[in-house]
Structure formats: structure tokens, C-alpha cells
Amino acid sequence: DLNGKTALVTGSVQGIGLAIAKALAGAGARIAVNGLASPEQAEAACAELRAAGAPEAKFFDADLSDPDRIAAMMQRVADWGGADILVNNAGIQHTAPIATMPRAKWEAILAINLSAAFYTMQAALPAMAQKGYGRVVNIASVHGLVASKDKAPYVAAKFGLVGMSRVAALEYAAAGTKAQGGVTVNCICPGWTETAIIQPQIDARAAALGGDRDAGIAELLSEKQPSLRTSDPSEIGALALWLCAPIAHNVTGTAIPVDGGWTAQ
Ligand code: NAD
């Protein structure tokens, strides 16, 4: 039951972020929505979240590659009541070998996938400690735990996110009482999950296989994900919701794979 709680979910206009926001909305949380979106897409996401049960859903516009805009967004969220729950989900990908990785991609991936989470946590954690309840859920990746070629900035950022989350978990481990719920910081580490971010990789495989999209997905899965099944974003949402519950008060500093056995190998 998240009635009376407010959740800021970055990158929640689509994909895994929207699915997490819907799970939290279903439990009664107010949702601060963020992401790169047209006003129409942003309002559609807010409407979907109200329909899912959020008492309020409001769009907080900010390009998270810019620390000044993150600071301004966090101030606006604080003025709206502040985030009891912070989900750092916004992320981008670009695949290329190190030798040809564009400098701008390295810089953008580090800024959005890693630094943005530092700045949002820095702004949100002190108020969580004061309340004695707070939940930070950082959407890392299997690539926060193991590497794949052609993903140097992404892997660097996600390993960094897992490490930084452990530091935050330790710094806030003793904040709050069991009755209050405590302050926890955890990562979820998805494997292949059906969203827009993996479409370029699916398209590249499909093209190499004569345009067969299903065959492209099957090949990607067979290389890394032993279950041979993709995850649905709602399954990541269900885990995020569980991490926010009082029962998870002693689950902190973890990086939980949802990867069909990828990182068990
Ligand atoms: P997606 O492309 O559908 O969503 C990415 C979200 O991030 C969008 O809402 C987008 O608006 C937002 N975003 C991107 N750049 C931004 C910026 N500069 N400022 C603000 N918002 C920005 O993909 P997704 O799969 O839903 O990705 C969500 C998270 O899950 C990412 O961190 C991604 O790395 C992670 N992840 C995804 C998979 C997968 O297989 N889909 C696997 C592991 C981890």
C-alpha cells in the first residue's frame, strides 16, 4: 500500500519506466513522471497512470544529461511534496567497438545512465532519511554485473550504478526504524526486456537473418539468456513494487537480476 507516498520515476513515459510507474500507481502512489517526450506523450502517460490508480500524476520535464536541469527538476518535485520513492530508470544505449565509439556517445551514456542517478539520489536521500522511509530503485542491467562486447560506455555506466548504489545503501542503512520502513537502495538488473531500447539490436540481427524479427530475437536470447524468453516490462514493475514495500526493509545494497539465468553462467 503506497497511499500517501510519492514516486519519481525517471524515463517513465514509456518502456520499463512506465511499467514501474504503473505498478506503483496501482498501489496508490502519486507519480512524478519524467522522460524525453512531446507534451502529448507526457500527458498520455500521466492519464494512463491515473487510470492505473495514481491519485495524481504530473510530468516533470527535464533532460537528465544536464545536472542543472536535474537540480531544477528535483526542486520542483520537492515543491510537489518530495519523492518518497526514487526510481532511476532513464537510460540510453549505443553499440560500437571501443575503437570507433563516438566521444559524444560515451559522454551521453555516462551522463544519463550514471551521473543523473547520482544527482537525483544526492537531492532525494536526505529527506528520505528525515522521514525514516525511502526507497531508491536503480534500473541497472545484467551489464552492471557482466560485460558484452561493443557496449563499453553502457557497461561502464551500469557497473558504476551498481557500485554507487551499494555506497548509498551503506550510507543510509541505519536511517529510520522498522516501523517507519527504513531507507533502502537497490538495483534491478534486467536481461533482454521487450522495449524500444533493444529494437536497433533486434533490427540488426533480423536484417542479418533475412528480415525475420522473431529469428533475430531468438538468436540474441540463445547467445546470453538461458531461459530463451524475453521479460515483459510489467515483470520489472512487479519487482520494483515489492522492493518499495515495508517487508523489504532489510533488502538493501543488492543488485537483483531478472535475466533468465544470464548472470548464473
Ligand atoms: P526505452 O528506450 O523505452 O526507455 C528509456 C527511457 O529513458 C525513456 O522514457 C526516455 O524518455 C528516457 N530518457 C532517455 N534519455 C533521457 C534523458 N536525456 N532525459 C530524460 N529521460 C531520458 O527503454 P527501456 O528498456 O524502458 O529502458 C529503461 C531502463 O532499463 C534503461 O536504463 C535501460 O538501460 C534499462 N535496461 C533495459 C533493458 C532492456 O532489455 N530493455 C535491459 C537492461 C536494462
Side-chain angles (χ1 to χ4, degrees):
D1 179 7
L2 297 177
N3 281 301
K5 302 275 198 282
T6 299
L8 167 60
V9 185
T10 69
S12 51
V13 292
Q14 64 183 57
I16 292 172
L18 180 56
I20 292 171
K22 270 167 100 167
L24 301 177
R30 297 164 83 225
I31 310 291
V33 176
N34 159 267
L36 298 182
S38 66
E40 293 74 27
Q41 192 191 1
E43 185 39 47
C46 290
E48 203 172 325
L49 294 170
R50 286 183 214 110
E56 290 180 89
K58 185 172 153 65
F59 183 60
F60 291 82
D61 194 18
D63 180 335
L64 302 181
S65 61
D66 179 348
D68 290 334
R69 294 191 203 182
I70 296 172
M73 174 184 76
M74 295 310 289
Q75 185 56 55
R76 281 181 282 132
V77 172
D79 294 343
W80 199 53
D84 305 289
I85 296 163
L86 167 64
V87 182
N88 284 301
N89 162 82
I92 58 169
Q93 174 64 290
H94 183 80
T95 58
I98 290 173
T100 56
M101 182 64 72
R103 180 194 283 196
K105 293 296 183 188
W106 170 267
E107 296 290 345
I109 292 173
L110 268 288
I112 296 163
N113 296 17
L114 177 59
S115 296
F118 174 78
Y119 293 121
T120 58
M121 287 197 290
Q122 188 173 50
L125 279 164
M128 291 179 180
Q130 232 157 31
K131 289 185 189 171
Y133 172 86
R135 293 288 186 269
V136 178
V137 180
N138 290 328
I139 306 308
S141 167
V142 285
H143 288 115
L145 303 170
V146 294
S148 296
K149 65 188 173 71
D150 299 341
K151 297 184 176 176
Y154 190 84
V155 169
K158 296 297 190 180
F159 267 71
L161 185 58
V162 169
M164 179 172 69
S165 301
R166 289 183 183 159
V167 174
L170 293 174
E171 290 186 5
Y172 288 88
T177 63
K178 184 169 177 174
Q180 289 174 310
V183 176
T184 70
V185 182
N186 292 286
C187 286
I188 297 177
C189 297
W192 293 117
T193 307
E194 292 254 16
T195 70
I197 205 172
I198 66 169
Q199 294 314 314
Q201 296 176 72
I202 293 173
D203 292 347
R205 287 307 171 109
L209 294 165
D212 186 340
R213 187 174 186 277
D214 289 342
I217 295 173
E219 191 176 271
L220 287 172
L221 286 169
S222 69
E223 278 173 15
K224 301 278 185 178
Q225 193 151 309
S227 66
L228 304 179
R229 300 185 299 269
T230 56
S231 293
D232 186 84
S234 65
E235 297 156 12
I236 311 299
L239 176 56
L241 175 59
W242 182 81
L243 284 169
C244 293
I247 202 168
H249 73 98
N250 253 339
V251 179
T252 195
T254 71
I256 305 175
V258 183
D259 68 356
W262 182 326
T263 55
Q265 298 170 99

